[in-house]
Amino acid sequence: MAQARQTTDVITGFDTPLLLSVLFLTGVGIVMIYSASSAIANNTYGNGYFFLRKQTIFSVIGGLVLFLSSMIPYRMYRAFAYILLAVSALLLVFTQIPGYGHAAGGAARWIRIGGFTFQPSEFARLSMIIYLAYSLSKKQERIREFSIGFLPHVIVMMLLAILIMIQPDFGSVVILGILCWIMMFMGGVPIKYLGGALLGLLPLAGLVMMSASYRVERLMSFLDPWKHQTDEGYQIVHSLMAFGSGGFWGKGLGNGHQKLFYLPEPHTDFIFSVIGEELGLWGVLLILTLFFVVIWRGIIIAMRTEDLFGSLLAAGLTIGISLQTCVNMGVAMGLLPTKGLTLPFLSYGGSSLLINMVAVGIIINIGKTRPHGRT
Amino acid sequence: MTKGTKTIKNKELFVGLVFSLIFLVIAGRAVQLHVIQTKWLTAKAESQYNKYLVTCGKRGTIYDANLKELAVSLEVMSIGAFPGRMEDISQNGKKMAKILGLNSKKLTKTLKSGKSFVWVKRKVAPNDVEKIKNLDVKGLEFIPEHNRFYPNMGLAAQVIGFTGTDEKGLEGLEFQYNRELEAASDKFIVTKDALGRRFNSSGSSVTGFSGNDLVLTIDKRIQFIAENALKEASEEFQAVSGTAVVMQPDTGALLAVAHFPEFNPNIFKQYDRNVWRNRAVTDPFEPGSTLKVFLAAAAIESNVCTPNSIFFCENGTYRIGRNKVNDTHPYQWLSLQQIVKFSSNIGAVKVSEITGKKLLYKTLTNFGFGKQTGIDCPGETSGILSNYNTWSSIDTGAISFGQGISVSAVQLLAGVSAIANGGKLVKPYIVKSIISPDGTIVRECGKTKGRQVISPETAEKIKVIMSTVVTDGGTGVNAALSRYTVCGKTGTAQKIDKGGSYSNDQFTASFVGFAPQQHPAVAVLVILDDPKVNHYGGVVAAPAFKQIVHETLNYLNVEPETDSNDETILLAQRIEAKR
């Protein structure tokens, strides 16, 4: 019956607050990436504009991708849910094949396509959201059954998680896990299973944590970064200094100090710290407000959508972005242990930006697809 | 809307609210960091990127009287490294170690120590610096520093002294005038990135402030003359050590202060620290018979006797209580003038007996004995002259021929200079002027007024007496010059041995005097400590004195007093002979 109504959709306009927030964030990202990276780019590539130029190209492509994905009727993805999963798994496997994969910092998380490197775990997250939205909406009648509403989703998630874990990228696995958990919770999977999974996963997560020495060190440094400020706590200490020395008004655009080789990855994982130092508290609160708008437009679109798949898809994509945002900010501010996660729209990085642009495009498409007779 | 759909919407709302709450926490954390902890974190951050840089200017130069360099600071390069910017540390470390003569493993270890800045090598020779620069290694920093250099090696080394590695004066004038010479250091903040590069150079310049220059009264040429003569004499007579001082009698300016053995201040650590001292100022010694001129001055000034008053010299042996005073040659009757000329100890004792210890003491203190001269050199001794109340009759007798009293070389020469200078004692000095880096004179020294210690008439009489010393029969004939009249006095003092009594085989041989008699241009003192071959001042020290005076007067173009015809003929004959 729901199917019948949805065939006569009316196409309304773009969700303006969402679109403007995302575009504004991307613009701020370009400016801050330039400020954060020019010294490093100059040092490494002899060209201060290196990252600025690339990010500008990514942003233009990202804008196009956003526009295109907002044009594609979201229901089409239902048909591709499994194919996308398979492609994700394949791409993840590819990262481990020498010649295709691209390793950096001891982890093989990327594959090289042309001149660009692409991070399949980002794509896998998107595929997982589409799959869950499709599967959870399809199985609504028997969602409360363990073998139907819970087990298959967990198995698919675990498969992807294992593939990501090989890289290794513990941070992405945690994000994926939390994301699935929240989506299953929203989709109606009984709390008893979800709670049980949580209890069952805790020792497992602990085991994984302890299996790699750097993870333990990261956790220790998170608990007392000042004590470890010369080694494991180095990043976090310098990030905190960046925020603190920014004060209310900041040091002014371009005037930050921590990006000058003190703070590692100032243009990727710690772009928020550079914003904190150069733009101060008001800049940080502005960025928070923009993300707040993105989240709530996403949630509102999800809630307004009658179609369960669309609703869960919009919510899932929104939560994907929000999770990444909260974890990145939490790490930068010393609230969470260090994770190699980018800040959506702001951090330098093509695959992250493109995937998030696709996500926003899909949310916008869901938002403008209204069932007939409703506004 | 189905019930299921509705719960899903509610759950979506719930999740949105949860995320809003997380955002609130993040905003709260932002306020905490940006507002509450801002002071603390800002201080932490600034301590990271604000580095205090100390720049030091150039230490002042020490010049001789003619502005010839005696001590200079040369700019040398020190090589530091920011290992964070360096590529291929092992390979580059190996290459640099080879050039600089360092241990390659050690250097590589230093470079890999994880410090943001390390020294590769300090004060590197210029050609090595070039080689390192040619390697074109990234992350190297060439930091100019200064190295103290003494271009004349041992010349006047004991006077000039030397500096330590940090260019602080440790000895001599380098020590005494450290505050003047020292370059001002300027401390300022530079902001540096994590690789140690300065990126904010506003408001700070690296030019330091140079120290003031010293211009000495020492004349490099005269110093060389004195050192040369002293060295020859010391070696000839196998003296343990020697000192020669040349002074301008009317001003007190020291033209030369020579020491034997010499040392090279550029590598001072390789020498025994005992040779570092400016012994002419720091070391007291018993002057011996040279003191007789002051005895004569006391006697004549107080009208006790005239140069022609005669004294019975006891045929060479004279008893004072349980002590015996001997003369080298026995004499019967000698005038005061002859007592000085032949250096009769018994005669001196006789003179002191009629002069009285009080007058003798007063005259000696007037001439500055027992007190520091106030010369601007470190560690000056005041010598030992005990109060006359404590003198026994043998003490008085001994002091009259210069035993039982100790003086410094500079003190003695200043006293003799007073006689040359018409009875006016001037304070000896060694720094003529202090000049700031921009060329203005900071201080002009040596303008102290003299003090009349004996009347010009008495001084003139003493001069005449002293001029006889170098005439036939006098103890100082070896000091006589053909074209100038020399006034002088020999000194041969027994040294006190380890047991505390006077030694019979250790002597201090000396000669002090000035020339020309009419208008003395230089006063010279030569002391040889413990000469082995001969110990008489007239034999050991007088020739060196003569050589110094002769060459110095020539150098200073002092007009000869005597007719130079004889000399010219002699010279002509010599040239003839050479052909």
Side-chain angles (χ1 to χ4, degrees):
Chain A
M1 46 172 192
Q3 292 285 74
R5 250 192 292 172
Q6 276 156 20
T7 47
T8 54
D9 289 339
V10 289
I11 306 299
T12 59
F14 282 75
D15 189 302
T16 321
L18 175 60
L19 186 68
L20 284 182
S21 295
V22 166
L23 292 181
F24 193 80
L25 281 169
T26 310
V28 171
I30 292 173
V31 174
M32 291 319 294
I33 283 163
Y34 175 56
S35 173
S37 71
S38 63
I40 287 176
N42 219 341
N43 204 42
T44 317
Y45 302 98
N47 172 14
Y49 302 106
F50 182 84
F51 294 108
L52 170 70
R53 207 170 51 90
K54 285 188 107 174
Q55 185 70 10
T56 309
I57 294 167
F58 292 145
S59 301
V60 171
I61 297 169
L64 281 170
V65 163
L66 188 151
F67 180 74
L68 280 174
S69 53
S70 72
M71 290 298 154
I72 299 168
Y74 73 90
R75 289 193 192 95
M76 270 180 59
Y77 300 117
R78 282 191 291 202
F80 293 102
Y82 291 107
I83 295 167
L84 285 172
L85 270 184
V87 170
S88 295
L90 241 131
L91 287 173
L92 284 171
V93 171
F94 260 105
T95 59
Q96 300 306 308
I97 298 170
Y100 294 98
H102 173 71
R109 296 174 185 173
W110 297 269
I111 49 175
R112 203 187 286 278
I113 303 164
F116 295 105
T117 52
F118 177 74
Q119 202 170 346
S121 61
E122 305 259 7
F123 183 72
R125 193 186 307 151
L126 184 68
S127 311
M128 190 71 197
I129 293 168
I130 292 170
Y131 159 74
L132 278 177
Y134 164 70
S135 181
L136 288 168
S137 57
K138 192 180 74 179
K139 293 167 181 168
Q140 270 307 301
E141 306 300 320
R142 300 174 68 185
I143 198 76
R144 303 194 68 82
E145 289 174 34
F146 181 79
S147 57
I148 291 166
F150 180 73
L151 201 59
H153 306 131
V154 173
I155 288 169
V156 170
M157 191 269 281
M158 288 300 260
L159 277 173
L160 284 182
I162 288 163
L163 286 172
I164 297 170
M165 213 45 222
I166 293 168
Q167 295 181 350
D169 189 354
F170 187 54
S172 290
V173 171
V174 170
I175 295 283
L176 190 73
I178 297 172
L179 186 64
C180 290
W181 196 91
I182 294 173
M183 281 195 76
M184 285 193 277
F185 164 75
M186 290 190 299
V189 176
I191 294 291
K192 57 182 174 184
Y193 302 143
L194 291 170
L198 212 57
L199 286 175
L201 273 174
L202 271 180
L204 188 70
L207 208 74
V208 172
M209 273 293 300
M210 297 299 165
S211 69
S213 62
Y214 74 89
R215 292 192 187 114
V216 183
E217 281 158 9
R218 277 187 181 178
L219 188 72
M220 293 313 290
S221 67
F222 157 69
L223 295 174
D224 188 1
W226 295 99
K227 203 178 148 194
H228 300 87
Q229 58 176 304
T230 54
D231 37 71
E232 285 80 30
Y234 183 84
Q235 289 182 316
I236 200 65
V237 159
H238 281 275
S239 180
L240 293 178
M241 284 182 194
F243 284 107
S245 59
F248 190 86
W249 294 110
K251 287 181 180 169
L253 193 62
N255 294 338
H257 285 127
Q258 296 299 334
K259 63 190 185 191
L260 296 162
F261 312 102
Y262 288 100
L263 189 62
E265 313 285 335
H267 56 303
T268 60
D269 296 357
F270 285 92
I271 190 85
F272 197 47
S273 318
V274 177
I275 293 170
E277 187 180 19
E278 298 192 351
L279 303 183
L281 182 63
W282 75 266
V284 166
L285 293 180
L286 175 75
I287 298 299
L288 270 175
T289 309
L290 289 169
F291 275 112
F292 187 79
V293 171
V294 172
I295 292 178
W296 276 104
R297 288 320 296 170
I299 295 289
I300 286 167
I301 286 169
M303 288 172 68
R304 274 193 191 159
T305 305
E306 290 287 311
D307 173 26
L308 254 185
F309 170 66
S311 178
L312 282 172
L313 184 59
L317 293 171
T318 306
I319 279 142
I321 292 167
S322 312
L323 256 179
Q324 214 182 332
T325 305
C326 290
V327 171
N328 177 282
M329 289 179 172
V331 167
M333 291 182 151
L335 296 169
L336 292 172
T338 314
K339 286 273 150 303
L341 274 181
T342 54
L343 186 57
F345 313 114
L346 289 167
S347 285
Y348 171 80
S351 42
S352 165
L353 183 67
L354 294 189
I355 293 293
N356 283 316
M357 285 303 204
V358 170
V360 173
I362 295 171
I363 296 170
I364 286 173
N365 181 266
I366 296 167
K368 65 183 183 180
T369 311
R370 291 272 189 276
H372 180 71
R374 290 176 183 264
T375 48
Chain B
M1 200 180 279
T2 60
K3 187 176 166 274
T5 322
K6 204 173 174 200
T7 45
I8 285 169
K9 306 278 145 137
N10 286 340
K11 280 175 179 173
E12 282 169 354
L13 180 67
F14 175 72
V15 170
L17 288 170
V18 168
F19 273 100
S20 304
L21 206 69
I22 295 172
F23 267 46
L24 259 177
V25 171
I26 291 171
R29 176 69 169 168
V31 171
Q32 187 194 19
L33 291 175
H34 279 286
V35 180
I36 296 164
Q37 296 188 345
T38 181
K39 253 192 176 163
W40 183 70
L41 286 168
T42 304
K44 281 263 181 193
E46 278 175 359
S47 74
Q48 293 266 343
Y49 48 72
N50 285 346
K51 303 266 154 62
Y52 288 93
L53 196 77
V54 177
T55 57
C56 209
K58 191 178 159 204
R59 186 176 173 90
T61 304
I62 300 179
Y63 294 105
D64 87 334
N66 300 314
L67 297 181
K68 299 241 166 58
E69 287 169 342
L70 298 176
V72 287
S73 280
L74 301 177
E75 197 171 85
V76 287
M77 283 294 176
S78 283
I79 302 175
F82 294 99
R85 268 151 62 192
M86 196 178 286
E87 296 160 352
D88 197 5
I89 285 176
S90 324
Q91 199 61 32
N92 284 324
K94 217 181 261 174
K95 282 186 199 161
M96 290 193 291
K98 203 179 165 194
I99 293 170
L100 299 170
L102 300 170
N103 183 319
S104 136
K105 267 186 196 159
K106 227 174 167 180
L107 180 61
T108 313
K109 205 178 154 194
T110 313
L111 290 171
K112 286 182 175 171
S113 63
K115 285 181 188 158
S116 72
F117 176 84
V118 294
W119 286 109
V120 175
K121 194 182 180 184
R122 296 187 75 169
K123 296 183 178 174
V124 182
N127 50 334
D128 285 349
V129 171
E130 272 316 299
K131 281 183 200 164
I132 295 286
K133 276 185 179 165
N134 287 337
L135 286 182
D136 202 21
V137 176
K138 270 187 196 161
L140 285 186
E141 190 108 329
F142 295 89
I143 297 155
E145 287 193 289
H146 288 104
N147 212 4
R148 201 63 166 167
F149 181 61
Y150 303 93
N152 305 301
M153 307 300 178
L155 191 90
Q158 285 85 350
V159 176
I160 299 162
F162 48 79
T163 60
T165 36
D166 53 353
E167 281 219 311
K168 279 241 182 306
L170 296 180
E171 278 281 347
L173 295 175
E174 294 273 31
F175 173 79
Q176 182 84 2
Y177 284 92
N178 191 53
R179 276 180 60 186
E180 294 287 351
L181 289 164
E182 205 172 29
S185 57
D186 192 13
K187 196 175 167 187
F188 53 86
I189 299 169
V190 286
T191 322
K192 291 200 166 185
D193 69 17
L195 305 183
R197 291 178 298 199
R198 219 159 4 138
F199 63 85
N200 174 16
S201 55
S202 62
S204 57
S205 69
V206 200
T207 49
F209 311 98
S210 295
N212 293 329
D213 295 337
L214 294 188
V215 179
L216 306 188
T217 57
I218 298 281
D219 186 307
K220 192 177 153 183
R221 177 73 207 162
I222 300 171
Q223 177 74 25
F224 178 75
I225 290 167
E227 285 185 5
N228 207 29
L230 179 69
K231 193 182 176 197
E232 279 174 21
S234 300
E235 283 171 358
E236 186 183 346
F237 297 101
Q238 293 170 23
V240 170
S241 63
T243 308
V245 187
V246 182
M247 190 184 277
Q248 219 168 33
D250 52 341
T251 61
L254 289 166
L255 302 178
V257 181
H259 289 87
F260 176 88
E262 62 171 13
F263 79 99
N264 182 352
N266 293 310
I267 43 168
F268 64 89
K269 278 180 185 158
Q270 296 179 16
Y271 294 85
D272 188 278
R273 58 189 310 132
N274 279 322
V275 305
W276 296 347
R277 277 199 318 278
N278 183 3
R279 294 193 306 278
V281 171
T282 60
D283 285 21
F285 68 103
E286 296 205 11
S289 305
T290 47
L291 210 73
K292 283 172 187 160
V293 297
F294 303 102
L295 170 74
I300 295 168
E301 176 75 3
S302 55
N303 290 317
V304 170
C305 55
T306 68
N308 297 318
S309 306
I310 55 168
F311 298 86
F312 184 62
C313 291
E314 311 280 347
N315 288 311
T317 307
Y318 182 51
R319 283 192 166 275
I320 307 170
R322 290 162 55 197
N323 300 286
K324 256 191 331 193
V325 178
N326 295 313
D327 273 341
T328 319
H329 304 284
Y331 300 105
Q332 292 191 315
W333 289 91
L334 293 176
S335 67
L336 174 56
Q337 183 166 312
Q338 287 170 316
I339 289 169
V340 175
K341 180 178 177 181
F342 302 133
S343 202
S344 163
N345 288 349
I346 296 166
V349 173
K350 290 289 181 74
V351 176
S352 73
E353 280 171 353
I354 66 157
T355 309
K357 57 182 181 182
K358 188 177 172 185
L359 256 175
L360 179 59
Y361 175 79
K362 201 185 138 215
T363 305
L364 289 176
T365 46
N366 257 342
F367 272 101
F369 296 109
K371 281 187 308 241
Q372 293 178 336
T373 63
I375 189 170
D376 43 357
C377 294
E380 191 188 4
T381 177
S382 53
I384 298 165
L385 175 61
S386 51
N387 193 284
Y388 68 93
N389 290 324
T390 65
W391 296 358
S392 65
S393 47
I394 182 63
D395 290 338
T396 314
I399 286 166
S400 72
F401 54 86
Q403 303 267 189
I405 175 176
S406 69
V407 302
S408 74
V410 165
Q411 224 174 25
L412 180 60
L413 191 58
V416 170
S417 292
I419 293 164
N421 195 30
K424 203 184 211 181
L425 181 78
V426 288
K427 186 173 131 182
Y429 69 102
I430 201 153
V431 173
K432 191 153 78 175
S433 54
I434 299 169
I435 297 170
S436 74
D438 59 23
T440 57
I441 292 171
V442 178
R443 198 155 86 211
E444 193 98 48
C445 312
K447 290 278 153 88
T448 48
K449 270 190 197 162
R451 183 164 53 88
Q452 201 72 37
V453 290
I454 50 168
S455 68
E457 295 75 29
T458 307
E460 197 53 46
K461 285 173 189 164
I462 307 289
K463 269 163 108 177
V464 173
I465 294 172
M466 287 174 77
S467 71
T468 65
V469 171
V470 301
T471 58
D472 280 350
T475 52
V477 281
N478 289 329
L481 288 169
S482 52
R483 295 168 64 188
Y484 303 97
T485 46
V486 172
C487 301
K489 181 70 195 85
T490 56
T492 310
Q494 283 172 284
K495 290 190 74 176
I496 293 169
D497 63 21
K498 279 175 189 163
S501 55
Y502 284 106
S503 163
N504 284 321
D505 51 12
Q506 284 184 306
F507 298 87
T508 307
S510 60
F511 194 96
V512 65
F514 48 86
Q517 187 181 354
Q518 285 311 307
H519 305 284
V522 288
V524 177
L525 167 62
V526 176
I527 307 162
L528 291 170
D529 184 34
D530 196 10
K532 302 288 187 306
V533 178
N534 191 307
H535 63 262
Y536 289 107
V539 178
V540 175
F545 170 91
K546 178 185 169 180
Q547 191 181 335
I548 294 169
V549 172
H550 176 66
E551 290 179 20
T552 305
L553 292 181
N554 268 349
Y555 165 70
L556 294 175
N557 281 322
V558 176
E559 209 168 307
E561 292 165 302
T562 51
D563 195 10
S564 63
N565 275 346
D566 307 346
E567 286 268 315
T568 321
I569 294 159
L570 222 104
L571 196 71
Q573 281 171 347
R574 230 183 271 165
I575 292 163
E576 200 67 33
K578 270 195 175 172
R579 282 180 186 164

